[in-house]
Amino acid sequence: EAGVAQSPRYKIIEKRQSVAFWCNPISGHATLYWYQQILGQGPKLLIQFQNNGVVDDSQLPKDRFSAERLKGVDSTLKIQPAKLEDSAVYLCASSLVPDSPLHFGNGTRLTVT
Amino acid sequence: QKEVEQDPGPLSVPEGAIVSLNCTYSNSAFQYFMWYRQYSRKGPELLMYTYSSGNKEDGRFTAQVDKSSKYISLFIRDSQPSDSATYLCAMSRIQGAQKLVFGQGTRLTINP
């Protein structure tokens, strides 16, 4: 079983620029999550999708972050404009159904200078 | 106060030692408790999943939950250098992957 794929692995941008991250979940997994992991902290949920619908985006900073999951498979997370405090690893995860365990990708490490 | 507290370490022990990792929490509604292992520059992977109070054993790993004290533990027996990683506790009110609240992780090093 192929794991959760994320790209790019690393991204360095200047503040106020925009950036996008891509995620391909495990085949057949209906539920997809984006987490933000700041250095030295645990992951924090940004948004949860069930197929192509948003289930929970209560912790997503909607003034600058957006996410979509077209066709209920791949997903993109965008930040526009980026701030210094957005420097973190952005982890995508998927689960077969909402009450089954999470499978994480290896993340995209974002540095905002 | 954070909902989930975890000592960030770092914790360094010799190979073969028994390791004890712990988390405390404040939300009594948490029912599902997990431990994830995260190697450097990798995503977290699920190690143990328990519901409510009690013990669960899987090979060298034992997870304990004490809901009365709001305290969970992960024990690693016969620790190996390959166990060197960051260990994250996570918990939720509902089953599965939703509404997980993570601790900040404990960095563990097993010295040969």
Side-chain angles (χ1 to χ4, degrees), chain A residues 9-10 33 35 37 40-43 48 55-56 91 95 98-102 104-106 109, chain B residues 2 8 36 38 41-46 49 88 95-105:
Chain A
R9 283 303 312 273
Y10 306 93
Y33 309 78
Y35 282 83
Q37 186 174 24
Q41 297 184 21
Q48 176 187 345
V55 174
D56 183 357
L91 293 163
S95 61
D99 60 354
S100 58
L102 276 180
F104 282 92
N106 288 329
R109 183 177 297 270
Chain B
K2 293 181 181 177
Y36 284 82
Q38 186 173 25
R41 305 198 183 273
K42 298 287 188 180
E45 56 178 329
L46 182 64
Y49 184 101
L88 297 152
Q95 186 178 357
Q98 299 182 99
K99 303 288 187 184
L100 284 185
V101 180
F102 282 85
Q104 71 178 101

Side-chain angles (χ1 to χ4, degrees), chain B residues 40-59:
Chain B
S40 180
R41 305 198 183 273
K42 298 287 188 180
E45 56 178 329
L46 182 64
L47 268 181
M48 301 287 282
Y49 184 101
T50 54
Y51 168 69
S52 196
S53 286
N55 292 2
K56 183 174 183 178
E57 189 174 318
D58 184 1

Side-chain angles (χ1 to χ4, degrees), chain A residues 26-42:
Chain A
I26 293 173
S27 178
H29 280 200
T31 314
L32 185 145
Y33 309 78
W34 285 100
Y35 282 83
Q36 179 192 58
Q37 186 174 24
I38 293 172
L39 185 65
Q41 297 184 21

Side-chain angles (χ1 to χ4, degrees), chain A residues 70-96:
Chain A
L70 299 176
K71 301 180 182 178
V73 182
D74 293 7
S75 178
T76 55
L77 177 70
K78 297 178 182 177
I79 308 175
Q80 182 178 17
K83 293 184 175 181
L84 295 177
E85 58 261 37
D86 298 332
S87 294
V89 175
Y90 290 84
L91 293 163
C92 180
S94 68
S95 61
L96 185 62

